[in-house]
Amino acid sequence: MDLRIANAKRMLVETDLDILKIAGLCGFVTHSHFSDAFKRKTGLSPGAFRKQRRVSPIA
């Protein structure tokens, strides 16, 4: 599970893939299972994690 979440964290930050696609690529069958597991491990939902960790482009 730790490896799945680590891969998801990397993809959330480094790609523009939607969260449902990332969940599937990380081996989660449903979005809700992914979201629950992610939140238990990180304290944040996948969407909140992505917003917090993403670097804003300089205008």
Side-chain angles (χ1 to χ4, degrees), residues 7-27:
N7 284 334
K9 287 164 74 173
R10 181 186 54 78
M11 284 191 251
L12 286 165
V13 173
E14 296 176 2
T15 73
D16 289 326
L17 294 172
D18 68 34
I19 293 170
L20 184 58
K21 180 72 172 177
I22 291 171
L25 290 171
C26 291

Side-chain angles (χ1 to χ4, degrees), residues 1 12-13 17 24 30 37 41-42 46 48 50-51 58:
M1 185 62 71
L12 286 165
V13 173
L17 294 172
T30 66
K41 289 285 185 181
T42 66
R50 176 176 263 173
K51 281 182 185 177
I58 298 173

